[in-house]
Amino acid sequence: MIRPNCSLPWRETVQFYLGMVIVSFSIAIAFAMKGMWLILPFAGLEMLVLGIALYVVARRSMRWQMLNIHDNYVDIVECVNRIQNRSSFQRAWVRVHFEAANIKGHPSRLFLGSHGRSTEIGEYLTEQEKRKLALQLREVLG
């Protein structure tokens, strides 16, 4: 199973966000009581942007891919937003294709495929992890 590094599970993400809201609004209210009321809308806007960013990151960390290598075929199940896509390839014809990035600093891409069809795997892995996975898959698939 391949999944992004989820350093902060959803429950802790919500707790972190609520903690930030409490701290931010406590400071903003203290300044507002001293006459600097304009800080309140900015604190609200800041917390809104932080909440949206945390939500987007949490949603992206829920994706996963599962590779099943059987005697005759390779099965790839990908789950994005609770929708599962499945790709199957005949094991004897499967090729691992590692595509280096054309632009410096952009991530490389790793594909499994055969007969003109391919599926990208490990999109959210680091460069080292992708290279290691490619080597392991080449060894297993022969």
Side-chain angles (χ1 to χ4, degrees):
M1 178 173 286
I2 306 168
R3 60 184 329 153
N5 180 16
C6 180
S7 59
L8 199 60
W10 177 248
R11 176 174 276 183
E12 282 84 16
T13 300
V14 171
Q15 290 172 347
F16 169 75
Y17 179 68
L18 291 177
M20 291 299 294
V21 167
I22 290 169
V23 169
S24 179
F25 277 104
S26 297
I27 293 170
I29 289 171
F31 278 101
M33 291 174 67
K34 297 216 180 239
M36 295 179 253
W37 59 268
L38 196 55
I39 199 169
L40 281 173
F42 285 103
L45 182 64
E46 183 180 44
M47 289 299 104
L48 177 67
V49 171
L50 177 64
I52 291 171
L54 289 172
Y55 178 77
V56 168
V57 169
R59 290 281 298 193
R60 287 188 176 187
S61 67
M62 292 181 190
R63 301 181 314 168
W64 54 266
Q65 288 179 321
M66 184 179 302
L67 303 177
N68 294 312
I69 300 174
H70 302 278
D71 291 339
N72 296 328
Y73 63 95
V74 176
D75 200 27
I76 302 170
V77 179
E78 181 176 23
C79 181
V80 178
N81 294 332
R82 298 182 181 172
I83 299 171
Q84 289 190 4
N85 296 321
R86 180 176 294 239
S87 303
S88 289
F89 302 101
Q90 291 180 355
R91 182 176 175 165
W93 296 99
V94 170
R95 297 291 172 251
V96 179
H97 176 68
F98 192 83
E99 186 177 296
N102 292 334
I103 301 171
K104 187 177 181 181
H106 281 229
S108 59
R109 300 172 77 187
L110 180 61
F111 294 94
L112 276 183
S114 71
H115 296 95
R117 290 186 314 122
S118 63
T119 299
E120 184 174 3
I121 58 171
E123 183 182 346
Y124 25 79
L125 296 177
T126 64
E127 291 297 313
Q128 284 183 325
E129 291 170 335
K130 284 180 189 176
R131 292 184 190 279
K132 185 177 177 183
L133 179 61
L135 285 174
Q136 289 175 337
L137 287 171
R138 285 182 179 130
E139 286 177 12
V140 169
L141 297 172

